[in-house]
């Protein structure tokens, strides 16, 4: 198998594993988005909780409401995850071959961050549509009509109201988050897995993949949660005439969030984020490593 065939196979395998993981854990991502938008720019009298929000969504939209915004999320991962995973592996292997030594953790962190940032710039429009469609659940809970009927309706309305560049609204906060997430996720998974195997804690099997995915999920969540809150709020605001723009840029959003809601607001949705990243990482990495093995590819 030549390098081109291996690259295509890696991209296909990564896409399938990412779609499986995204579909499995999407309801938790929806709860995280609602938590992060709760109390936005005004102090709410009722404290937010994942359980209460889940009950409200089920009451107002039914169980299928937990999957609002799934189509753009899956569409995004068809391109985002292959770009960052295969890009990271390519850069890592190229560095190892050129230097004839293992890559240190900080080197993996930089490569992981760069791979994630590039992938996020490419797929930011799908992420924007996902956040907007998820946030429509809050509008429904207020007895109002949702802004978008589906993926293509959202795409058309955003372009008409905000222009093509409107699809990249919040891209700076998005890229910052992607850099931090992938710096923690890819570097930690890669490093932890090699540490586990090298020290014979377990073989290169599901146990090693599970332990590595848990550690990478925790580090990715801790690093990325503040940027994730800013990203979600920046992407949720629209530029229509009747909607007042709350934030001028990512820094303005950060300052206003802390001023109105306190520093802890930057970690709003931490538990749902980790609760999603943990299972997502587990489902993705275990299925990804298995798919690679079935496809005749080496372990990641």
């Amino acid at each position: 198998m030549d390098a081109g065939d291996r690259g295509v196979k890696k991209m296909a395998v990564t896409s399938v594993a990412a779609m499986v993981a995204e579909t499995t854990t999407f309801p938790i991502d929806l709860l995280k988005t609602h938590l992060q938008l709760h109390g936005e720019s005004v102090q709410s009298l009722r404290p937010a909780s994942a359980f209460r929000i889940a009950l409200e969504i089920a009451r107002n939209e039914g169980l299928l409401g937990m999957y609002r915004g799934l189509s753009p999320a899956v569409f995004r991962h068809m391109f985002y995850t292959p770009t960052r995973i295969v890009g990271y592996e390519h850069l890592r292997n190229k560095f190892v071959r050129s230097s004839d030594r293992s890559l240190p953790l900080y080197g993996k962190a930089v490569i992981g961050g760069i791979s994630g940032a590039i992938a996020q710039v490419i797929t930011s429009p799908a992420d924007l549509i996902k956040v907007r469609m998820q946030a429509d659940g809050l509008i429904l809970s207020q007895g109002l009509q949702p802004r978008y009927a589906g993926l293509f309706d959202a795409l058309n309305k955003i372009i008409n109201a905000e222009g093509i560049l409107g699809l990249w609204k919040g891209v700076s906060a998005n890229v910052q988050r992607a850099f931090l997430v992938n710096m923690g996720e890819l570097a930690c998974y890669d490093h932890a897995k090699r540490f586990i195997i090298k020290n014979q804690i377990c073989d290169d099997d599901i146990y090693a993949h599970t332990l590595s995915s848990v550690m990478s999920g925790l580090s990715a969540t801790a690093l990325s949660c503040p940027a994730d809150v800013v990203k979600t709020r920046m992407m949720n605001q629209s530029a229509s005439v009747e909607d007042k723009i709350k934030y001028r840029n990512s820094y303005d959003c950060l300052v206003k969030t802390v001023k109105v809601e306190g520093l802890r607001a930057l970690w709003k949705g931490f538990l749902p984020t980790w609760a999603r990243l943990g299972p997502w990482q587990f489902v993705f990495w275990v299925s990804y490593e298995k798919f690679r093995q079935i496809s005749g590819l080496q372990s990641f």
Side-chain angles (χ1 to χ4, degrees):
M1 187 188 301
D2 60 30
D5 290 338
R6 281 198 303 273
V8 171
K9 188 173 286 189
K10 285 178 182 178
M11 297 285 281
V13 165
T14 310
S15 293
V16 173
M19 287 188 284
V20 170
E22 187 67 18
T23 303
T24 304
T25 62
F26 188 80
I28 305 174
D29 185 50
L30 181 72
L31 293 178
K32 178 208 71 175
T33 298
H34 280 234
L35 279 169
Q36 290 174 338
L37 293 175
H38 182 269
E40 186 176 17
S41 295
V42 290
Q43 292 186 354
S44 176
L45 296 176
R46 297 183 63 189
S49 72
F51 181 71
R52 183 173 66 79
I53 288 174
L55 285 179
E56 287 183 357
I57 293 172
R59 187 186 308 117
N60 295 325
E61 305 176 59
L63 291 178
L64 289 179
M66 297 297 293
Y67 284 90
R68 177 178 290 277
L70 177 63
S71 54
V74 170
F75 181 74
R76 168 182 177 260
H77 273 286
M78 289 174 61
F79 303 96
Y80 172 68
T81 300
T83 302
R84 68 189 182 93
I85 297 290
V86 177
Y88 171 85
E89 186 179 10
H90 175 75
L91 292 173
R92 179 197 66 188
N93 294 343
K94 189 172 184 179
F95 179 89
V96 170
R97 284 196 302 268
S98 63
S99 64
D100 198 28
R101 61 187 177 87
S102 61
L103 194 63
L105 179 59
Y106 67 84
K108 293 176 182 177
V110 172
I111 290 175
I114 292 172
S115 300
I118 293 172
Q120 191 58 63
V121 170
I122 296 170
T123 60
S124 193
D127 205 17
L128 177 95
I129 294 171
K130 181 196 76 170
V131 169
R132 295 272 183 96
M133 289 181 67
Q134 287 178 333
D136 271 359
L138 294 175
I139 296 175
L140 274 175
S141 68
Q142 298 167 3
L144 303 174
Q145 287 296 316
R147 294 172 291 183
Y148 313 113
L151 169 62
F152 294 106
D153 180 57
L155 180 66
N156 184 55
K157 286 181 177 177
I158 292 170
I159 291 175
N160 287 337
E162 306 171 47
I164 289 289
L165 292 180
L167 292 170
W168 275 268
K169 178 169 289 181
V171 68
S172 60
N174 221 0
V175 168
Q176 291 163 20
R177 177 190 176 273
F179 186 94
L180 293 169
V181 165
N182 287 279
M183 185 173 70
E185 177 191 337
L186 297 181
C188 187
Y189 178 84
D190 190 11
H191 210 72
K193 177 184 164 186
R194 276 159 175 70
F195 177 85
I196 289 168
I197 296 170
K198 182 179 179 180
N199 290 275
Q200 299 182 334
I201 298 173
C202 21
D203 296 325
D204 190 359
D205 54 21
I206 189 173
Y207 301 107
H209 305 156
T210 300
L211 286 172
S212 303
S213 68
V214 169
M215 287 184 272
S216 67
L218 278 170
S219 62
T221 305
L223 286 170
S224 68
C225 204
D228 195 30
V229 171
V230 173
K231 178 214 79 168
T232 299
R233 294 187 172 194
M234 285 291 297
M235 292 184 122
N236 184 52
Q237 66 176 356
S238 62
S240 57
V241 175
E242 62 271 18
D243 290 330
K244 183 180 178 181
I245 298 299
K246 298 184 181 74
Y247 315 115
R248 296 189 303 274
N249 49 50
S250 299
Y251 178 73
D252 184 50
C253 179
L254 177 70
V255 171
K256 286 180 178 177
T257 299
V258 173
K259 184 177 180 180
V260 173
E261 302 169 61
L263 190 62
R264 291 177 61 185
L266 295 177
W267 278 269
K268 269 190 173 182
F270 177 87
L271 287 178
T273 301
W274 178 70
R276 175 182 181 265
L277 274 176
W280 196 99
Q281 299 263 341
F282 169 73
V283 174
F284 172 75
W285 286 111
V286 170
S287 59
Y288 179 55
E289 297 276 17
K290 190 64 177 178
F291 289 154
R292 284 179 71 111
Q293 182 184 3
I294 294 171
S295 301
L297 297 169
Q298 290 183 340
S299 177
F300 177 73

